[in-house]
Amino acid sequence: IVLPPWWKTWWFRTLFYILVAGMLVMFYSISIAFYRSHQRKLSVLVKERTLQIEEVATTLEEKQEEINSQNEELMAQRDELEKANTLLTEQKQQILDQNKELDEHRNRLEYLVEERTRELILAKNKAVESDRLKSSFLANLSHEIRTPLNAILGFSTLLGEKELSDNEREEYNSIIQSSSNTLLDLISDILDISKIEAGQLEIDLHEVSLESVLNDTVGIFNLLIKRQDIGSNKNLLLKVVLPDELRKIQVITDKLRIEQILSNLISNAIKFTRQGYVEVGCSKLIDREMLEFYVKDTGTGIKEENQQVIFERFRKVEEDKTYLHRGAGLGLAISSQLINLLGGTISLSSKPGEGSVFYFTIPLIKSDSPYNPILKARISDRIPDFKNLCVMVAEDDMFNFKYIERILKKAGLKVVHAENGSQVLSMLKKPNDIKLILLDIKMPGMDGIETLHEIRKMNVTLPVIAQTAYALADEVGKFRKEGFDDYIAKPISVNNLYFMIEKYLKPSDRLNG
């Protein structure tokens, strides 16, 4: 028996296969164990890595949140920066605007300082000029008051001399009257300018006939020239020019103020005109509803540089040194202010040696009432005849009553005297032949206005004329509103008193008398 080699034996092969299988099993087991170990390690590593990743993720989330928060803060800061930048830009623009305004204010202040300096210099100059004018005015006023007073007192004393002739007595009496009128005009001007400065001068509007205003005003000056109260030794003609279209109309204005303005202008024209004429007229302006009055003379004229000065208060311009022209320098200033109050303007056209023309305008407001010519003043030296007519004079001052009584009796009037309002009412309640009442405003107890109201309550329709020393022109309107038919101012002019009585006593009254 041949035995095979040991490696070809069955036990070797079985052992070999077992060994190989065991090795395979062992390799497999070792691999499995290694794999499981490695898997456990990987699991641990994965867990650790997962934990790390989770921690990192958590950290990243926290950082992301922090970053988001920071981003939000940055956005907010950016918005704030943008707002701050915008604010800074606005503030910069405001600063530029403020700088510009400051420059403008500085320039304005510099201009105002310069302007104020100029004004102060002008004010100082005006103050110096005003002080000079006041001193000049006071000196001039003293002269203008003392001059007529000297004549009044002097010739009043001379009238007492027994050896005077009738002609001398008449001449002295005329001088006293002229000086008294001059003094009265001066006092009236001072009162008017005082009321104008105080803003208390009022305008009294009512129906006025232009023809009556012009004729009456010029008529008074014609009488004064005839008597040589003014314009002595002058060859002057006073004339009125009024278009036919204005003769028959009535306008709404202040009659007394118009007459005052015309009187001032006419008086000045006569004062500075030695010969020739003074023309007074009125016309309607074509381009607007205005009346234009004018006073034209052939006098000395006024230089151009002095044509504005004459309208200032207390200013006088003596172009001709040969003649001394009296006056306080208030007439034109008052006239200018009155024209402004009436709603008009005043102007002047003049050449030295050729005369002057003063123009002034007032609004043309026509009256709806039919034309009714006002009784013209009969200004003359004659004494009217009022035989047997009875007039009541209510006057508490005996000197004034004696003067009025003398004037009225000279015209043939019977005079009844009442010293106060109570006596007036008592006399009117009894049968009487009184045709007119001259009622003083200021009386003891019941004054003139209260007395008039009581008279009207008694249904007495007699004309009642207020006589008063309240001679300011705007008082007239107040008296008319109270119910007086008219008024006459003290000191009472003889001719004015006769005219007033003729105006209100009807012809039938005179016949009955």
Side-chain angles (χ1 to χ4, degrees):
I1 300 169
V2 175
L3 293 176
W6 64 270
W7 64 78
K8 285 184 179 182
T9 64
W10 64 269
W11 61 268
F12 179 78
R13 285 183 179 183
T14 302
L15 184 65
F16 177 76
Y17 286 132
I18 292 172
L19 180 65
V20 171
M23 289 178 67
L24 287 173
V25 170
M26 186 179 66
F27 179 76
Y28 175 76
S29 296
I30 291 170
S31 296
I32 291 299
F34 178 77
Y35 173 74
R36 287 178 178 175
S37 174
H38 184 68
Q39 190 176 17
R40 283 193 301 271
K41 288 179 180 180
L42 285 176
S43 297
V44 171
L45 288 174
V46 167
K47 288 181 181 179
E48 291 177 355
R49 191 61 178 169
T50 302
L51 290 174
Q52 289 177 356
I53 289 171
E54 288 177 355
E55 290 176 358
V56 170
T58 303
T59 304
L60 287 175
E61 287 178 0
E62 292 176 353
K63 288 183 177 180
Q64 184 63 38
E65 290 178 358
E66 186 178 351
I67 289 170
N68 290 337
S69 176
Q70 290 176 351
N71 285 337
E72 290 177 358
E73 290 180 2
L74 288 174
M75 292 292 290
Q77 290 176 355
R78 188 182 67 181
D79 292 339
E80 290 180 0
L81 286 173
E82 288 179 355
K83 292 180 180 178
N85 188 34
T86 304
L87 183 61
L88 286 173
T89 304
E90 292 177 353
Q91 289 177 347
K92 181 180 178 181
Q93 186 61 41
Q94 288 179 357
I95 290 170
L96 291 175
D97 293 340
Q98 288 174 353
N99 287 336
K100 185 178 178 180
E101 289 182 7
L102 286 173
D103 290 337
E104 292 177 355
H105 282 305
R106 185 179 67 251
N107 295 333
R108 179 64 178 169
L109 285 173
E110 289 176 356
Y111 172 78
L112 289 175
V113 169
E114 292 177 359
E115 185 70 17
R116 186 59 178 166
T117 302
R118 286 193 295 269
E119 290 178 357
L120 289 173
I121 293 172
L122 288 175
K124 179 184 176 183
N125 293 336
K126 285 184 179 180
V128 172
E129 178 68 9
S130 177
D131 186 61
R132 187 189 67 79
L133 286 175
K134 285 180 181 179
S135 299
S136 175
F137 167 69
L138 290 174
N140 187 37
L141 184 64
S142 176
H143 175 269
E144 295 300 323
I145 290 176
R146 290 178 180 274
T147 299
L149 271 179
N150 182 63
I152 294 170
L153 294 174
F155 285 101
S156 296
T157 303
L158 292 177
L159 282 177
E161 297 181 357
K162 296 181 180 180
E163 62 272 15
L164 286 179
S165 65
D166 291 340
N167 289 336
E168 287 176 327
R169 196 177 300 278
E170 184 176 349
E171 179 186 359
Y172 294 172
N173 186 59
S174 177
I175 292 172
I176 292 172
Q177 289 183 3
S178 176
S179 299
S180 299
N181 290 332
T182 300
L183 188 59
L184 181 61
D185 290 341
L186 178 61
I187 293 171
S188 297
D189 284 346
I190 293 172
L191 292 175
D192 278 340
I193 203 70
S194 299
K195 292 205 75 175
I196 290 172
E197 287 181 348
Q200 296 178 351
L201 193 140
E202 298 178 357
I203 297 299
D204 179 28
L205 301 177
H206 54 276
E207 297 176 351
V208 176
S209 165
L210 293 177
E211 183 180 20
S212 174
V213 169
L214 293 178
N215 288 336
D216 289 353
T217 305
V218 173
I220 292 172
F221 280 95
N222 272 323
L223 174 64
L224 296 176
I225 290 176
K226 178 182 177 182
R227 291 177 173 178
Q228 293 192 351
D229 289 346
I230 61 172
S232 57
N233 301 321
K234 292 185 179 184
N235 183 21
L236 285 179
L237 172 66
L238 265 66
K239 54 185 178 180
V240 176
V241 176
L242 186 64
D244 292 337
E245 62 175 330
L246 298 180
R247 289 185 180 275
K248 303 301 180 182
I249 68 168
Q250 294 192 126
V251 297
I252 306 298
T253 189
D254 191 326
K255 179 176 183 289
L256 289 175
R257 295 306 180 187
I258 296 296
E259 289 178 343
Q260 184 179 1
I261 295 165
L262 287 172
S263 296
N264 284 336
L265 296 179
I266 295 171
S267 178
N268 278 347
I270 294 173
K271 187 187 299 183
F272 292 96
T273 305
R274 302 301 301 174
Q275 60 182 358
Y277 66 89
V278 174
E279 181 180 309
V280 184
C282 180
S283 62
K284 180 183 179 297
L285 295 180
I286 299 175
D287 58 338
R288 50 201 176 121
E289 290 294 310
M290 298 288 284
L291 288 174
E292 183 179 67
F293 293 83
Y294 70 88
V295 177
K296 180 179 181 181
D297 64 64
T298 56
T300 57
I302 305 169
K303 293 178 181 177
E304 186 175 356
E305 60 266 26
N306 292 327
Q307 290 183 10
Q308 292 301 320
V309 174
I310 59 175
F311 292 102
E312 298 177 8
R313 299 169 185 175
F314 317 131
R315 296 297 292 269
K316 294 171 62 178
V317 176
E318 302 286 354
E319 299 285 5
D320 186 358
K321 300 298 182 180
T322 307
Y323 302 98
L324 178 62
H325 302 292
R326 293 167 60 180
L330 292 174
L332 287 176
I334 292 172
S335 298
S336 178
Q337 293 288 339
L338 292 178
I339 292 166
N340 288 337
L341 289 174
L342 289 170
T345 58
I346 187 170
S347 59
L348 163 65
S349 174
S350 180
K351 290 184 179 180
E354 297 183 12
S356 305
V357 186
F358 284 84
Y359 302 92
F360 72 91
T361 60
I362 63 170
L364 174 56
I365 307 174
K366 294 183 181 180
S367 171
D368 295 331
S369 302
Y371 174 67
N372 183 19
I374 298 175
L375 180 64
K376 295 181 181 179
R378 302 173 186 176
I379 304 172
S380 65
D381 290 326
R382 74 175 183 83
I383 300 174
D385 185 8
F386 295 110
K387 284 184 180 178
N388 299 323
L389 288 179
C390 183
V391 173
M392 176 188 287
V393 179
E395 173 63 68
D396 63 302
D397 187 277
M398 287 306 297
F399 292 123
N400 285 331
F401 170 71
K402 290 292 184 184
Y403 169 68
I404 297 172
E405 182 186 34
R406 172 64 178 166
I407 296 172
L408 297 179
K409 285 187 174 180
K410 199 173 181 180
L413 286 161
K414 292 192 296 182
V415 180
V416 177
H417 181 214
E419 295 184 0
N420 52 55
S422 299
Q423 289 187 13
V424 171
L425 300 177
S426 177
M427 292 179 183
L428 290 177
K429 289 177 182 178
K430 299 176 182 178
N432 62 78
D433 56 353
I434 298 169
K435 302 297 182 182
L436 182 143
I437 302 173
L438 288 173
L439 185 59
D440 187 27
I441 294 297
K442 191 173 179 60
M443 294 186 297
M446 187 184 299
D447 64 22
I449 294 175
E450 293 173 338
T451 303
L452 175 68
H453 293 166
E454 294 299 322
I455 291 174
R456 295 312 184 202
K457 289 178 182 178
M458 295 167 59
N459 294 323
V460 176
T461 58
L462 294 175
V464 180
I465 298 172
Q467 47 148 341
T468 176
Y470 295 108
L472 296 176
D474 58 329
E475 296 289 344
V476 179
K478 296 178 182 178
F479 295 142
R480 291 185 187 279
K481 290 176 183 177
E482 293 293 344
F484 286 97
D485 294 277
D486 219 319
Y487 114 114
I488 187 167
K490 297 177 182 179
I492 294 174
S493 163
V494 175
N495 289 316
N496 287 343
L497 183 57
Y498 287 158
F499 162 66
M500 195 69 68
I501 295 173
E502 281 187 309
K503 183 177 178 180
Y504 289 99
L505 288 184
K506 301 176 183 178
S508 58
D509 293 331
R510 299 178 201 175
L511 292 175
N512 292 337

